Amino acid sequence: MTPEQQTAVDRLNAYASLMEEIKYRHAAIQLVLDGRTGLPHLVAHELGYLQLRYTCELIALGCLVAHGDIPAVQSKRLRKAWAADEIINTLDWLHPDFFPHAVKQVALPADQVPDGSKNAYDLPRLSDGFLTKDELVTLYHECGTVLHRGSLDKLHLRPQRHADTEKLREYLARIVALLNHHTIQPIDPQYLYIIMMKTDSTGNVQANLFAKIS
């Protein structure tokens, strides 16, 4: 393995750690959706949105980690950045294909594999059902609205007994669809990161670096 490849693997391992944290936060959201927090409904609802906000930040920070080979990512400004919208907007300018791509694993018939391997797969991208880059920014702003009481001029008068959990459920489903099995395209086109959030054998995140065959 070359030093460049080892650096890429190190970045990918750090990315996988962030994905593991997302899984814990999603488990907390599921407790809210199942009504098992023991908290007043409004507080539980806010807890769910807090986990969504952390998830937005973790996805954005994960993108920074994964694209550490872009020189500008190592700038002082981006190394101190934490706001998901700022990170997403900056990366979009630096590398428009930076965002994770939701994929599904499809086994290829042996007669379509040059070496006759029995375990060859294609990874076609999903066309819908997942959280998009623009939706992540929108969700991040929505979380800020839910989690802040507002100014005196724009005081949010919230219902004390009822808070809509269906949006929480929908957002969670779309994030899971995005991350469950996804790829990330580094700025170097010869490489591809492939990430599976939960392997059958361990239940852990699996992240692999692949070199494309030209």
Side-chain angles (χ1 to χ4, degrees), residues 113-125:
V113 183
D115 61 1
S117 171
K118 296 181 179 179
N119 297 306
Y121 300 93
D122 191 15
L123 295 171
R125 292 180 179 179

Side-chain angles (χ1 to χ4, degrees), residues 126-191:
L126 301 184
S127 59
D128 55 34
F130 54 86
L131 193 77
T132 67
K133 175 176 56 182
D134 291 340
E135 287 173 342
L136 185 145
V137 174
T138 298
L139 172 58
Y140 185 68
H141 293 161
E142 182 176 331
C143 290
T145 299
V146 171
L147 295 172
H148 293 89
R149 295 299 282 124
S151 65
L152 188 59
D153 288 339
K154 297 182 179 181
L155 189 62
H156 306 311
L157 300 178
R158 304 177 184 174
Q160 295 302 305
R161 293 185 178 179
H162 302 289
D164 183 16
T165 58
E166 287 310 306
K167 292 186 71 174
L168 272 178
R169 193 181 304 277
E170 180 180 351
Y171 279 132
L172 180 61
R174 293 183 72 81
I175 293 170
V176 169
L178 170 66
L179 298 179
N180 185 50
H181 203 167
H182 65 279
T183 62
I184 292 181
Q185 178 58 65
I187 200 166
D188 186 339
Q190 72 173 314
Y191 295 117

